[in-house]
Amino acid sequence: MKLAFAFALLACCSHASLFGGSSKSAAKDQPLDDVIEEGWEYVTSGSTIKLSHVKSDTRLVLPQVSYGTGSQQQAVTAHTDAASTKNFWLVESETPRGTPISCGKQIRLVNSDSSHNLHSHSNHKSPISGAQEVSGFDGRDSGDLWTVECLKDKVAWRRLEPVYLRHVETGWYLQSLPSKKYGQPIVGHQEVSAAKKADSNAQWMALEGYYFSVRNLQPKKD
């Protein structure tokens, strides 16, 4: 049974469906195989997804507000509004569309509402916690690359299962601290930053989204 509803998207060699879900209700109360149909278990190249911060059940979002300090690029936050269109991120990799993202694979995450890349850099600190700043960057360079580190499945990034996202250039991990929240103009949004240590604050999960799947394609072990 699919998580919510699905519709076909025409493509030459792959299929796409729209799925909805909740990390609380789906991931914690039901096994993965009971929630997602066979063939749709993996996050795939070209899919557009929403990323949930596991610890706080918030979504990674680009609210289109610039930092007043640091890089002064677009702020990246985590928020409870699961319905926002600013929560969608395109998964880019060097593999063909519909290929499962293997564990250890480098990816870019591009905000579908603004086309900004999820970005980080060592020379700017986040405004609340003083950790490494994470931003939305309207250019394109090596600071946009993230490595998917799987916690359970060692083959590929499975939906509804937590992963770490490690910044390639600095080696620090994408995180959000539930206690670090902004005031105006983005009241209640959690700060998103990067940390040297991978812990429960750095776990993310793929939930709702437009997922591509290729028939008869199985991820291979290295």
Side-chain angles (χ1 to χ4, degrees):
M1 182 178 67
K2 289 188 175 69
L3 293 176
F5 65 95
F7 65 94
L9 181 65
L10 294 178
C12 67
C13 54
S14 60
H15 298 276
S17 290
L18 172 64
F19 296 88
S22 165
S23 62
K24 297 291 186 182
S25 61
K28 295 186 178 181
D29 296 342
Q30 291 178 277
L32 177 68
D33 293 340
D34 292 346
V35 181
I36 301 175
E37 278 191 7
E38 184 179 356
W40 300 95
E41 303 96 331
Y42 294 99
V43 177
T44 53
S45 181
S47 294
T48 300
I49 67 174
K50 292 190 177 186
L51 278 171
S52 170
H53 182 243
V54 176
K55 189 172 184 178
S56 61
D57 198 27
T58 53
R59 303 297 191 276
L60 187 72
V61 60
L62 196 145
Q64 297 184 5
V65 173
S66 298
Y67 289 123
T69 59
S71 69
Q72 299 187 344
Q73 295 174 3
Q74 292 282 300
V76 175
T77 65
H79 195 248
T80 56
D81 183 8
S84 173
T85 59
K86 298 175 182 178
N87 297 350
F88 280 112
W89 298 86
L90 171 66
V91 181
E92 288 189 355
S93 78
E94 296 178 351
T95 55
R97 185 172 65 181
T99 306
I101 301 296
S102 58
C103 301
K105 185 71 177 177
Q106 292 183 11
I107 63 168
R108 279 186 168 87
L109 291 168
V110 184
N111 186 264
S112 61
D113 192 63
S114 68
S115 297
H116 284 60
N117 291 287
L118 184 69
H119 186 90
S120 191
H121 27 233
S122 61
N123 55 333
H124 295 296
K125 293 184 177 181
S126 58
I128 302 178
S129 66
Q132 183 171 295
E133 183 188 274
V134 171
S135 64
F137 180 47
D138 60 357
R140 195 174 183 89
D141 62 24
S142 59
D144 310 329
L145 293 173
W146 301 83
T147 300
V148 177
E149 294 189 355
C150 305
L151 277 71
K152 297 180 180 179
D153 192 310
K154 303 303 181 184
V155 178
W157 182 4
R158 293 174 70 92
R159 296 168 53 201
L160 299 182
E161 290 190 359
V163 297
Y164 296 123
L165 295 171
R166 179 171 55 83
H167 188 237
V168 172
E169 203 169 68
T170 65
W172 288 38
Y173 291 86
L174 186 72
Q175 70 163 5
S176 184
L177 303 174
S179 62
K180 306 298 182 183
K181 295 185 179 182
Y182 290 100
Q184 294 290 350
I186 47 175
V187 177
H189 285 241
Q190 292 172 196
E191 180 187 78
V192 169
S193 59
K196 190 173 183 178
K197 181 181 179 181
D199 58 18
S200 61
N201 292 311
Q203 293 182 11
W204 300 86
M205 185 182 297
L207 293 183
E208 309 96 330
Y210 299 84
Y211 287 87
F212 281 94
S213 177
V214 175
R215 292 179 180 175
N216 301 321
L217 178 63
Q218 296 295 327
K220 295 180 181 179
K221 294 184 179 180
D222 295 331

